[in-house]
Amino acid sequence: MARIIHLHVGMPKCATTTVQDVLAENADWLAEHGVAYERHADDWTEGEGNAAVLGSHLLHNQQAKARRLLNFFLRGDGDVILSSEVLIACARARHFQWFVDEVAKRGFRLHVIVYLRRQDIWIESDFKQHVKSQNLWTGTLDDLIESRIERRTLDYHWVMRNWARFVGRENVSVVPLNRGQDPLYPARRFFELLEVPPPPDERVSTEPRNVSPPAGLIEAARFVKRAALREGLDAEAATFRVTQFIEDALRKGVVPTRRYLLDADTRRELLSRYERSNARLAREFLDGTPPFDPFEEEAEAEPGMSLTEEAADLLATLANGALRDPDAADAPQQVRRPLWHRMTGSMIRRK
């Protein structure tokens, strides 16, 4: 009987960090039940699961490097878990077939596990991640939505069909995430899919992982990041400035009460675009069960002003407070300067 590689293909902001932390904290429990979750000693990544480096090798068709890592991961006698958000892009690469064939030669079959959130909820989390992460992204939410639509990232049925053509539909497990689910649900469901009894609840932390900043801070944080990059700061220093901005706003208690970045009409339009895709996803991968809760407008009204206006008001409030960077020893050298003196005015403009 073939052993199994459980390929946890983490969609960003879909409980990936939560599941990965539980796996790492309970690696001994998994080993006792014949499943290995290990990290290579030379893995330099942090918070990326155990297969980020392998995923990078696969995406770049670096077969020799990928084979060396596989020799490590597949050296035992039992099943194996490989987890990383990097892996989500592998189904787009034609040369991924090499990996499928390689593990088959070693006596393994692939089982792909993907967690998903409703498109309107996911895209907002994705935008927050883009703003707060160490990268050069400074585009608007509309820019990101357009990019994700163009790349078909939000067409979940299409994404899952891509995986199915490599591993077979019967080897693709889709886990929809909805509000109101138990905090332990993502980890418990993962163990169910492994057919391994879950560890006792006391061994599974319910502490939130990789928590997104409040929605009311994100557009202003994007302006902060854009200004930092235009000043010539590198991605690390710009990200540090964004982090300090968010922490200062939270400490000062000036966070706008906005709950969503998208208005109700835009969210409804986005879900309408993918209604057919979600129906096909339910039919082909979820035994006909609808994946997501229906859209319901929230009773409370959102702020009447636009994201840009709200961000301008927030930055003006902070600028009037004469906030400055802390003199933390670990702050990038370029960041130790007045923080908000150029945050208002001409910066608050649409691209």
Side-chain angles (χ1 to χ4, degrees):
M1 182 177 180
R3 289 179 290 166
I4 304 172
I5 297 176
H6 301 280
L7 210 62
H8 180 209
V9 181
M11 280 281 285
K13 307 305 297 180
C14 287
T16 305
T17 304
T18 297
V19 172
Q20 289 170 346
D21 284 354
V22 171
L23 295 176
E25 292 162 2
N26 292 277
D28 56 341
W29 176 274
L30 289 163
E32 291 172 8
H33 293 83
V35 182
Y37 182 77
E38 302 175 294
R39 287 177 63 93
H40 193 278
D42 295 335
D43 187 343
W44 49 268
T45 64
E46 295 183 12
E48 300 289 343
N50 68 337
V53 177
L54 174 63
S56 178
H57 294 335
L58 295 175
L59 286 176
H60 293 91
N61 202 22
Q62 297 170 327
Q63 296 180 6
K65 292 181 179 180
R67 187 177 288 111
R68 284 195 291 271
L69 279 179
L70 283 177
N71 290 340
F72 167 76
F73 286 125
L74 308 185
R75 71 191 188 283
D77 297 325
D79 294 347
V80 173
I81 300 170
L82 298 176
S83 175
S84 174
E85 291 181 356
V86 177
L87 295 170
I88 189 66
C90 285
R92 295 175 180 266
R94 292 181 180 178
H95 54 256
F96 186 68
Q97 186 63 47
W98 171 86
F99 176 77
V100 177
D101 296 339
E102 181 70 17
V103 299
K105 287 191 299 185
R106 297 169 185 243
F108 287 87
R109 71 174 175 88
L110 288 171
H111 171 213
V112 173
I113 303 173
V114 187
Y115 287 59
L116 300 172
R117 293 191 191 279
R118 203 176 69 192
Q119 285 88 347
D120 62 317
I121 296 173
W122 183 82
I123 195 65
E124 292 198 2
S125 294
D126 187 38
F127 182 63
K128 293 178 182 180
Q129 190 79 353
H130 272 72
V131 171
K132 75 172 189 173
S133 295
Q134 188 171 312
N135 56 47
L136 300 179
W137 174 269
T138 60
T140 66
L141 177 55
D142 288 344
D143 293 333
L144 184 62
I145 292 174
E146 182 179 344
S147 172
R148 292 305 195 185
I149 289 174
E150 182 179 348
R151 291 181 57 80
R152 301 191 70 173
T153 306
L154 300 175
D155 186 346
Y156 295 157
H157 173 257
W158 180 81
V159 174
M160 295 305 104
R161 285 290 299 271
N162 276 341
W163 281 109
R165 68 189 173 95
F166 281 117
V167 304
R169 192 171 302 160
E170 69 280 5
N171 291 315
V172 176
S173 293
V174 176
V175 183
L177 298 176
N178 289 288
R179 290 176 175 168
Q181 289 172 334
D182 188 297
L184 295 180
Y185 171 77
R188 285 191 182 130
R189 181 60 181 145
F190 198 90
F191 279 87
E192 287 178 5
L193 293 171
L194 298 179
E195 298 185 354
V196 169
D201 285 353
E202 58 268 21
R203 293 187 52 162
V204 181
S205 172
T206 58
E207 284 294 315
R209 272 85 159 184
N210 196 21
V211 179
S212 294
L217 295 180
I218 294 302
E219 185 68 356
R222 182 178 73 86
F223 284 128
V224 170
K225 184 176 184 179
R226 191 172 75 175
L229 292 171
R230 287 180 175 179
E231 288 176 24
L233 301 188
D234 60 20
E236 180 183 3
T239 301
F240 182 86
R241 180 172 285 190
V242 167
T243 300
Q244 292 303 301
F245 162 75
I246 292 171
E247 291 178 353
D248 287 341
L250 290 170
R251 185 172 62 251
K252 295 291 184 180
V254 293
V255 181
T257 58
R258 176 181 297 275
R259 183 170 182 180
Y260 298 107
L261 298 173
L262 297 172
D263 60 57
D265 288 341
T266 303
R267 293 168 66 203
R268 194 182 297 107
E269 180 182 348
L270 189 64
L271 292 177
S272 177
R273 171 186 286 269
Y274 294 107
E275 183 177 5
R276 184 173 299 179
S277 173
N278 289 345
R280 289 173 175 169
L281 180 75
R283 184 168 60 251
E284 295 185 27
F285 294 93
L286 294 165
D287 296 325
T289 303
F292 307 117
D293 293 337
F295 171 75
E296 296 179 1
E297 289 190 40
E298 300 297 329
E300 62 269 25
E302 293 287 16
M305 63 180 65
S306 69
L307 286 176
T308 302
E309 293 170 329
E310 189 174 75
D313 281 0
L314 175 57
L315 291 170
T317 298
L318 293 174
N320 290 335
L323 298 179
R324 295 183 181 278
D325 279 334
D327 291 326
D330 59 346
Q333 193 67 36
Q334 298 179 77
V335 187
R336 294 178 187 168
R337 63 178 73 179
L339 188 59
W340 317 114
H341 63 292
R342 290 194 294 274
M343 292 303 167
T344 55
S346 61
M347 188 193 71
I348 310 299
R349 294 197 300 264
R350 285 289 184 187
K351 294 175 58 180

